[in-house]
Amino acid sequence: MEQANLRGRMRMDDNLTFEQWYPDLSSMEQEMMRRGVRLLLSRTFLTRSKERELFGFFARNEPHMETYFAPMGYTMFLDRDYGIIMLRDRQEEKVDAQETAAINKKIFTIRESVIYCALAWIFMERMSGSMDRSILIRPDELTKTLEQFGVGAGFRTEFNKTQIEDALKTLQHFSLVEIKGTLGDEDCALVLYPTLLFGLDLKAMEALLRQKKESYQNYYAKASSETEEADEQETEAEQESEGSQAPDDFD
C-alpha cells in the first residue's frame, strides 16, 4: 500500500510545475535540495554509494530538478544502473547555435589526467555485479597501473608520492575517488567511484592517454636533459675550481 501511495504521489508531483511543487516540500527536503544543488554545482557528481539520501531525493524528483537546472544551461543526467547523477553542459547537446549555455568543465593537469585515466582503467577491470558499487584498492595498484602506462612513482621523470597525493586530492573533490587514510601508510586505501566512467568516454580516454603520455614524457625528458646538462656544467666548474686550488695544496 505504501509503495502504491508513493507511486501515486510521484505521478501527481510530475504534473505540477516547479513553482507548485517546491512550496509543498518539507523544510528538511528543501534543505536537502539546496545541499544537493551546491554539491552538483561545485563538483558535477552525486553518487548513490556515497550520498544515498541525496541521490534518492534527486532521482525521485528528476523532472523538477531538470526544470531547476535548465535556466543555468545544465541538463541533469541520471544513470540508475551506475548510481550517478551529473550535470552536463547543454553546450554539448544544443541544437540552436545561438543558445547560451554554462561551461561545466574542469581542465586537469597532465599529471591529474594520467592518474584519472589509470583509476578509471582499474575500475573497469575490477567492476562486477552491481555497477553502482564503489571499489576499494590499495595505492600500489595505482602505481603499478601507472607503470603500465610508462609512468612510475619515482623522481624527476616520474611521479613521486606528493605529486600523486596532490592529484588524488583534486580528483577527490569531484567525487571520482576518495583517499582513506594517509598515502604511504600500510592501512591507506583508495575508494574508486563509478563517476570515473563518466568524465571521459573510452575512445577519448585512450586518445588522452596517448597524448598525455607523450607530452608528459617529452616535457620531463626535456627537464631531465636540462638537469643533466646543468649537473655536467656544475661538475666541470668544480673540477676547474679544484684545478686552480691544486698548487696551494702542494705548497
Side-chain angles (χ1 to χ4, degrees):
M1 176 65 82
E2 290 182 0
Q3 290 181 347
N5 289 338
L6 178 60
R7 286 195 296 270
R9 181 185 173 185
M10 289 174 65
R11 284 195 296 270
M12 178 183 70
D13 286 349
D14 288 347
N15 294 326
L16 298 176
T17 65
F18 181 86
E19 291 74 14
Q20 294 170 324
W21 167 79
Y22 182 78
D24 285 341
L25 296 177
S26 66
S27 58
M28 185 171 66
E29 288 174 322
Q30 290 181 358
E31 175 55 31
M32 188 183 303
M33 176 183 157
R34 287 192 290 269
R35 185 157 56 94
V37 166
R38 288 195 296 268
L39 288 175
L40 279 170
L41 289 174
S42 66
R43 69 186 198 201
T44 306
F45 293 106
L46 286 179
T47 63
R48 180 162 51 207
S49 58
K50 187 177 181 181
E51 300 105 1
R52 181 167 295 275
E53 190 176 18
L54 282 177
F55 179 90
F57 175 83
F58 277 72
R60 288 193 303 273
N61 298 290
E62 182 183 4
H64 297 300
M65 297 316 305
E66 287 181 345
T67 300
Y68 179 84
F69 286 115
M72 304 180 200
Y74 296 124
T75 297
M76 192 186 85
F77 173 76
L78 167 66
D79 191 304
R80 297 180 187 274
D81 291 332
Y82 284 96
I84 68 108
I85 291 173
M86 67 179 291
L87 291 186
R88 279 182 171 168
D89 183 359
R90 290 177 62 195
Q91 184 79 23
E92 300 174 355
E93 304 174 359
K94 69 179 184 178
V95 176
D96 183 358
Q98 301 302 314
E99 179 183 355
T100 58
I103 298 175
N104 187 30
K105 299 291 184 183
K106 164 63 179 176
I107 300 176
F108 291 130
T109 64
I110 292 176
R111 185 180 301 125
E112 291 164 351
S113 299
V114 172
I115 290 177
Y116 176 102
C117 293
L119 293 172
W121 197 273
I122 296 170
F123 188 92
M124 286 186 290
E125 288 186 335
R126 295 278 300 273
M127 64 185 294
S128 62
S130 179
M131 292 184 290
D132 68 337
R133 289 181 181 173
S134 56
I135 293 173
L136 197 68
I137 68 167
R138 290 180 54 84
D140 61 359
E141 292 186 56
L142 170 60
T143 55
K144 288 176 183 176
T145 303
L146 288 173
E147 288 170 1
Q148 293 176 8
F149 291 160
V151 180
F155 183 66
R156 282 190 184 167
T157 60
E158 301 168 338
F159 294 154
N160 61 38
K161 183 172 74 69
T162 302
Q163 292 170 335
I164 292 176
E165 186 173 23
D166 289 344
L168 287 173
K169 286 179 179 178
T170 299
L171 301 181
Q172 180 173 252
H173 174 76
F174 292 94
S175 292
L176 299 165
V177 64
E178 186 173 351
I179 307 171
K180 293 287 189 181
T182 302
L183 208 64
D185 290 353
E186 289 186 4
D187 59 349
C188 181
L190 302 178
V191 183
L192 311 187
Y193 293 112
T195 48
L196 284 164
L197 304 182
F198 290 82
L200 291 171
D201 62 40
L202 293 180
K203 289 184 178 179
M205 190 180 299
E206 291 172 359
L208 181 67
L209 278 175
R210 288 194 297 270
Q211 173 193 349
K212 297 301 184 185
K213 177 180 174 180
E214 182 179 354
S215 59
Y216 177 83
Q217 289 179 333
N218 288 342
Y219 174 81
Y220 279 95
K222 179 181 178 183
S224 178
S225 64
E226 289 175 349
T227 302
E228 290 173 0
E229 184 179 344
D231 290 342
E232 289 175 1
Q233 292 175 351
E234 184 177 347
T235 301
E236 291 175 359
E238 289 175 351
Q239 289 174 347
E240 290 176 1
S241 176
E242 289 173 358
S244 64
Q245 294 175 0
D248 295 333
D249 293 337
F250 283 110
D251 288 340

